[in-house]
Amino acid sequence: MLRAGRMSYSTYLRPRRLRMTLPLPLALLILFSGIALAHPSQTAELSSGQQKLARITVVPWPADIQAGAGQLPITQSFSISLTGYSDARLERAGERFLRNLSRQTGIPLKEYSPNAASAVLVVHTDRASLPVQDMDEDESYTLDVTSSGAKLNAPNPLGILHGFETFLQLVQATPDGFAAPAVHIEDKPRFPWRGLSMDVSRHFISFEALKRNIDGLAAVKMNVLHLHLSDDQGFRVESKVFPKLQELGSDGLYYTQTQIRELIEYARDRGIRIVPEFDMPGHSTSWFVGYPELGSAPGPYSIERRWGIFDPVMDPTRDETYKFLDKFIGEMTALFPDRYFHIGGDEVNGKQWDANAGIQEFMRAHDLKDDAALQQYFTVRVQKIVSKHHKFMIGWDEILGPGMPKDIVIQSWRGQDSLAAAAQQGYRGLLSSGYYLDGMWHASQHYAVDPMSNADAKLTSDQQKLILGGEACMWAEFASEENIDSRLWPRTAAIAERLWSPQRVQDVDSMYRRIDALSWRLEFLGLTHRSSYTAMLGRLAGTDNMAPLRLLGDLLEPASLHTREQAAIKAGEIETSETPLNRMVDAIPPESESARDFSATVNAFVASKFTDATAESILRNTFASWQQNDGQLRVRIEGNSLLRELAPISRNLALLGASGLQALNYIDNKEPAPDGWKAAQLVIINQAQAPQADVLLGVAPSVEALVQASANDPSAYGASH
Ligand code: ACM
């Protein structure tokens, strides 16, 4: 069985690329001025300020940004000073800012300027922030950059942390060296809760990998890292009270309490809260390996290696269960200072409850009519324990039911409607439906999901205040230490922008341009979303000369989790936590940049009525390279078990190349392609679009668009080629 959430999620049909069809200047004008356009003539020219803003690659886009005159050069004499309130965290932030600026420019920079008047960037902080970061704190900042200096002001250090990130992203190579454009920015977030939920149970993600990804979250102004610390496949935190949890439930892969404290400090330094999740009463097999008495069947239990929804579930009828949870939650709430404590609560199948006569008797005696009512009984009791330890309880949709106080938070994996239903009853909520990164959606698809749309848009303004924001979710069935960064980045930046920037910021092309620029910056922060692809391709190729493999890999995208699981079941194989993640599907990023570029070129060529000679020449070269690549790759594929599954895909790419070249020939000859030819190409394209080896050829839809266009009457296009 599959986790139902992901199942319904992955049955979502991958739409064709959601491309912005507006001409670029029009799109930019809408983005940057926020005005509704009455007349196309208004699009004719962009002011110099708008042109300047169009070159800026800050993500998330600020709430308000105005272009100024000139730019601030970044040279070796760049310096900063901290004025107003200061503390050790701000000083570390200043040092880190200089280090990152130095890394991303390659310019060695000195430490602080002792004298505020002579510093290039003068930082001013009004007051301290809270000792334990809270979502109600002011995160705003203003940043002024002129040709002679810059000022960053904020009410408290959180705004300064965000302003530093904005400044780093303003810096670009220009004809006169590295510089930040002159701007005036007044920025603050749209939502107070902007997070990433990471499953570290199904595959353990090392302490170091968590740290570098916290750097990534800080770069895009996210403020919550939610760690899904226990599930059927592993219990990932050291408990001193119940040590068999990690000793028997983790294969030795867990965070010590010392590491957790260090991680919390590391995150706090970057304006990020850490919210722990311990999933209960289901998704809990790993607890029962050491403590079988918690389960609703006698056991013995072993760590689950497969993926899905499993039967083991806590016994809600025994007082000992709650005594255990009271001690455990007491220990963990002392370790994790955040005000919020996540108890999961999702996907209980109830089978162990149904099969246990004592539990059935308890349900009759307490008038609990079904498994959902029994789970609610459990959740109400756990909520009292969480509350006793001075925390607000948070959980997935399933926790909402009778008897819940209004201070809990619902995290919705089911959609805006369930969030709206909760808000109508006075409950706060977070959106995660639409932000599941393991669904392998494109950034544009996540970007289109807004916490305040659908049923949430119809809430009263008081109810809307209960929508706190959202969290991207990274479930780790097919994510490992090696590829976790590429599953997270840069797509998480698109979700971060949706949660930070004003709702009117919607331009998809602008978003892609800016997250592309973020990508290289993230590598300088130590993230590995690009470098791991190269390393994994090297292993696949068995050589450093991996150009043919890279050409193919660059055009592929992983199929969804559901497609991958179904393919394995069909092949009579079960993928588990012990399956190596070393195939092409594991190496490639979720979204192909090359396929996106290719699609833009096809669109430009078709939109030009086939007159854009540059686009045509790029397309011809591309199609020819696909044809040639197959022969070069075939030599490699033979005799390499990791590559063998790619042979039919490489062949399909060559066939797409042939279709594309023929389509261009018909277009050049101003001759509509015959119906029979078109039908034959569509068969080839269809075959190339089907997932194979758990990957998809991301370019197939654009080849189809070209084939369709070539079959039209050229006079309809007025082609003058
Ligand atoms: C979930 O996807 N079951 C939270």
Side-chain angles (χ1 to χ4, degrees), residues 478 562-575 694:
F478 297 110
H562 179 60
T563 307
R564 185 165 179 174
E565 297 231 4
Q566 291 303 308
I569 289 165
K570 225 169 125 186
E573 295 156 7
I574 296 185
E575 297 201 59
D694 300 324

Side-chain angles (χ1 to χ4, degrees), residues 64 110 130 144 254 260 286 332 344 356 404 414 438 471 497 521 592 636 645 690 700 719:
D64 188 29
K110 293 187 202 70
L130 295 174
D144 266 298
Y254 64 90
I260 291 289
S286 63
M332 290 301 139
N356 181 319
M404 277 297 149
R414 293 181 171 170
D438 59 317
E471 286 187 359
E497 175 153 296
R521 293 183 202 276
S592 161
R636 294 283 173 71
E645 64 179 357

Side-chain angles (χ1 to χ4, degrees), residues 272-285:
I272 292 171
R273 301 162 40 210
I274 295 204
V275 174
E277 175 186 352
F278 296 95
D279 209 342
M280 61 184 82
H283 283 292
S284 51
T285 309

Side-chain angles (χ1 to χ4, degrees), residues 159-175:
I160 300 298
L161 295 172
H162 296 318
F164 276 149
E165 300 296 342
T166 301
F167 190 97
L168 288 171
Q169 293 178 15
L170 284 171
V171 175
Q172 289 182 343
T174 77

